[in-house]
Amino acid sequence: MPENMLRYTPPPRLKLIGIIAAAVLAVIVVIGLITRVVASRSVSNWTDQNAVQNVSIIDLETSKDASNLALPGTIQAINAAPIYARVSGYLKKWYVDIGTPVKAGQLLAEIDVPDQDQQFAQAKADYNTALANQRLSAQTAKRYNMLGKAQAIAPQLVDEANGDLAAKTAAAASAKANMDRLSDLTNFKRIVAPFDGIVTSRGTDVGQLVTVATSTTTSPPLFTVADDSKVRIYVNVPQNYSAQIHPGMTATFTVPDYPGQTFKATLMANAQSVNMQSGTVLMQLQADNPDHKLKAGAYAQVSFDLPASANTVQIPASALIFNENGTSVATVGPNNRVVMKPISITRDMGTSVEIAAGLSHHDKVIDNPPDSLRPGDEVRVSKAAPATAS
């Protein structure tokens, strides 16, 4: 068999097909690599773009409108006095009950004090005895002085007579002082009103044992009389507002008894001291109450019209950031980077707050800053929001 018949020769077309297949495979690999590179760059660009947060800024405006500050208050009568006993005994009779109008000096009740009456009677008798002894001593001293001038008796007797007169005069004065003291105490068995007003409480009844009140007395007073022709309203004002509220300004208030009706009061006094527990300053207002509508001890809602403060701006409460460093806001600084600014709030109006310090009118304050926002972060600014929340 010839040798060339055993040798295999591939067809020319099969070699060409192999070359073409290898080329196609190389192209596919190149395209896959390019696609992955492009996709990787696209993901990186998308990530970088989404890392820059979109924020809206607030157009800051100066606070121009007066604001209303509403605070709870307590009404008290212009004068109110709890009346206790100054003598011990049993209540003989009472003449007025709660809600009764009384005049100054009007009899409210009587206390039966037989022991006190006997002591007064004894003191009166002692005074009369001392007075009689003083008169007799005076006559004796007068005679002795006349005899002494005539040198009819020894000077020693004259001196003794004058000394006895001085002692008897002092004894009479002491007896009179004791009688007057008991007389004054006896007068306290008549309980009278200290001023014009209304009886707001009665804490005793006929036959009840009445004892002298002391600094440690815990029993209720016999009566309480209140003059409510005028009333005082006490309000605790937060320290932030205390500088804007001053004596002489007018406020309005309402009470639950008369819904829809408004009363006027004038600020009379400022405690000029901040309560360390509440951080408030006590204010005292006064209002006329000729028709006695306002009741002592009642709750009132007091409203102050505060003038707009200069150099202050208002921002929505949604722009505030509270953290361990206090209260601050996020602003957009140079190169669209976040700058945190601590602020001082002077008024809280609920949906908005008034800033006294920490911001200028040129600051770009971010509204609703996300929790993830940090100082130095790059942001993208969108349309500005209004300065005050509706």
Side-chain angles (χ1 to χ4, degrees):
M1 179 179 292
E3 183 179 350
N4 58 353
M5 291 181 64
L6 297 175
R7 183 180 300 170
Y8 173 75
T9 303
R13 293 184 61 186
L14 183 61
K15 186 176 181 180
L16 179 61
I17 292 173
I19 294 173
I20 294 173
V24 170
L25 180 61
V27 171
I28 291 174
V29 171
V30 171
I31 293 175
L33 292 174
I34 294 174
T35 302
R36 291 187 63 182
V37 170
V38 171
S40 177
R41 290 181 179 178
S42 176
V43 170
S44 177
N45 292 336
W46 181 88
T47 302
D48 292 340
Q49 290 177 359
N50 283 273
V52 179
Q53 303 186 66
N54 290 320
V55 297
S56 61
I57 61 173
I58 302 167
D59 289 328
L60 299 184
E61 296 180 358
T62 303
S63 179
K64 299 177 181 179
D65 298 330
S67 63
N68 181 272
L69 176 64
L71 297 169
T74 303
I75 298 176
Q76 294 186 15
I78 192 71
N79 288 312
I83 302 173
Y84 292 91
R86 288 292 308 276
V87 293
S88 298
Y90 292 92
L91 191 72
K92 182 178 181 180
K93 189 175 183 179
W94 54 266
Y95 299 96
V96 294
D97 209 344
I98 59 173
T100 304
V102 294
K103 296 291 184 181
Q106 181 176 336
L107 184 63
L108 306 181
E110 289 184 285
I111 302 174
D112 188 12
V113 286
D115 294 344
Q116 192 79 44
D117 292 339
Q118 292 301 320
Q119 290 177 14
F120 174 67
Q122 181 182 352
K124 187 175 182 180
D126 291 343
Y127 171 64
N128 290 332
T129 300
L131 191 61
N133 292 334
Q134 188 261 345
R135 288 172 181 170
L136 178 60
S137 181
Q139 291 294 334
T140 301
K142 182 179 179 180
R143 294 190 185 101
Y144 273 48
N145 284 326
M146 292 176 62
L147 293 173
K149 289 180 181 180
Q151 298 183 351
I153 59 174
Q156 177 68 27
L157 297 176
V158 176
D159 293 341
E160 289 178 355
N162 289 329
D164 183 69
L165 173 61
K168 296 294 174 55
T169 301
S174 176
K176 185 178 187 304
N178 185 51
M179 182 187 68
D180 291 343
R181 178 183 66 84
L182 291 171
S183 175
D184 290 339
L185 287 176
T186 301
N187 290 336
F188 282 118
K189 68 182 181 180
R190 302 177 73 254
I191 307 298
V192 298
F195 45 74
D196 294 354
I198 295 176
V199 178
T200 60
S201 76
R202 177 176 63 83
T204 187
D205 213 336
V206 174
Q208 183 174 337
L209 176 63
V210 176
T211 57
V212 177
T214 64
S215 59
T216 59
T217 298
T218 58
S219 58
L222 304 181
F223 298 92
T224 301
V225 176
D227 176 12
D228 61 355
S229 59
K230 293 183 178 181
V231 294
R232 295 187 178 99
I233 303 97
Y234 290 95
V235 182
N236 288 301
V237 177
Q239 183 180 355
N240 287 351
Y241 303 96
S242 60
Q244 304 172 58
I245 299 177
H246 51 81
M249 70 183 300
T250 301
T252 59
F253 66 96
T254 59
V255 292
D257 316 37
Y258 303 97
Q261 187 171 351
T262 302
F263 302 88
K264 289 186 178 181
T266 302
L267 187 65
M268 304 300 294
N270 181 332
Q272 296 294 333
S273 176
V274 178
N275 186 296
M276 291 188 294
Q277 283 73 35
S278 63
T280 59
V281 179
L282 182 63
M283 304 287 181
Q284 175 185 294
L285 300 96
Q286 184 172 304
D288 293 329
N289 188 32
D291 49 8
H292 304 284
K293 283 186 175 181
L294 304 173
K295 300 176 180 63
Y299 166 84
Q301 184 77 2
V302 184
S303 297
F304 297 93
D305 289 329
L306 302 182
S309 303
N311 302 321
T312 58
V313 293
Q314 277 186 261
I315 63 173
S318 57
L320 300 178
I321 298 174
F322 302 96
N323 52 34
E324 66 277 4
N325 298 322
T327 307
S328 60
V329 295
T331 63
V332 179
N335 300 321
N336 286 344
R337 297 289 178 175
V338 174
V339 177
M340 296 293 183
K341 291 194 173 184
I343 59 171
S344 175
I345 300 175
T346 184
R347 296 183 192 172
D348 187 344
M349 276 84 72
T351 57
S352 63
V353 294
E354 188 176 88
I355 307 302
L359 285 179
S360 69
H361 297 88
H362 305 291
D363 287 326
K364 299 177 181 179
V365 177
I366 299 174
D367 192 20
N368 289 308
D371 295 337
S372 60
L373 203 62
R374 294 292 180 269
D377 287 353
E378 184 180 0
V379 293
R380 185 181 298 107
V381 177
S382 60
K383 186 178 179 180
T388 55
S390 56

